[in-house]
Amino acid sequence: MEELAAFVCEALEQEGIETVLSGGCCVELYSKGRYTSDDIDLIDRFNGGHRKIKEIMQKLGFTEYKMKRYFVHEDTELFIEFPRGPLGVGDAPVKEVSSRETETGTLKLLTPTDCIKDRLAAYYHWDDNQSLDQAVWVASENEFSIKAVESWSKNEGMDDKFEIFREKIYSV
């Protein structure tokens, strides 16, 4: 998954489209496999345009699936999705991204702190307890800024739910 995501990310970057891995695959990498995902979410950081992404993906051998923004390839069961940008978590834009070097290219991805915020957004706004668990797994395996998560949570109006997250990470 990481190699495929890096390959696509690198190919798009060479054509001037900066994408960033988010969602479940980001959780999979940061949780060291405690969670697994069957899709790769790449956010077009600056909304360069779906038409150009589609052209590049077709050159790479991918086919656009029935639903727009999903691409499949016969050599993998994973599918690649391009959720609409711009890159953000909750109501806050993402300003900093991480990167990982792989044999197939450079993978840009959310930082552990923003990956936690991304999962907490689903917990905060849709009461998705699985996303809370994922945030805790990422927090337990990575260095992150608890202060940034707390401040973001306050801006989202979710102080009470943040305290539940805090209690869970300190009881792990």
Side-chain angles (χ1 to χ4, degrees):
M1 178 274 305
E2 183 176 10
E3 298 291 324
L4 177 59
F7 173 75
V8 171
C9 193
E10 185 78 26
L12 292 167
E13 180 88 22
Q14 290 175 3
E15 296 290 331
I17 298 175
E18 185 179 346
T19 55
V20 177
L21 182 71
S22 68
C25 278
C26 212
V27 173
E28 184 173 337
L29 291 173
Y30 285 133
S31 71
K32 298 186 172 42
R34 282 184 81 173
Y35 176 80
T36 57
S37 180
D38 59 359
D39 73 325
I40 296 170
D41 294 324
L42 293 171
I43 308 270
D44 179 0
R45 191 161 186 197
F46 302 108
N47 279 334
H50 181 70
R51 183 176 291 130
K52 190 171 182 181
I53 289 172
K54 182 177 177 179
E55 290 172 12
I56 296 165
M57 293 300 285
Q58 287 174 336
K59 286 180 190 175
L60 297 174
F62 287 85
T63 305
E64 192 168 24
Y65 195 62
K66 295 174 188 173
M67 301 172 285
K68 287 187 175 236
R69 302 190 184 284
Y70 290 82
F71 292 86
V72 295
H73 195 286
E74 64 184 27
D75 292 340
T76 182
E77 291 182 13
L78 294 169
F79 61 93
I80 299 178
E81 179 184 359
F82 291 91
R84 294 191 68 80
L87 186 61
V89 287
D91 289 331
V94 170
K95 295 180 175 134
E96 179 185 335
V97 297
S98 291
S99 63
R100 293 167 71 127
E101 297 300 323
T102 74
E103 291 189 21
T104 59
T106 302
L107 175 62
K108 292 184 178 176
L109 66 164
L110 293 177
T111 64
T113 299
D114 282 330
C115 182
I116 291 166
K117 291 177 191 175
D118 178 59
R119 297 292 93 182
L120 287 176
Y123 168 62
Y124 289 171
H125 301 294
W126 300 298
D127 292 319
D128 183 349
N129 286 317
Q130 182 183 19
S131 292
L132 172 60
D133 291 341
Q134 293 168 17
V136 170
W137 296 337
V138 172
S140 69
E141 295 288 344
N142 299 274
E143 289 185 26
F144 71 100
S145 171
I146 188 74
K147 288 183 181 186
V149 174
E150 182 176 23
S151 175
W152 170 83
S153 297
K154 285 182 184 201
N155 288 338
E156 294 287 311
M158 296 293 170
D159 299 48
D160 292 345
K161 286 187 173 180
F162 170 77
E163 289 306 321
I164 294 168
F165 167 71
R166 185 196 309 263
E167 287 173 21
K168 283 187 168 274
I169 62 172
Y170 291 122
S171 67
V172 171

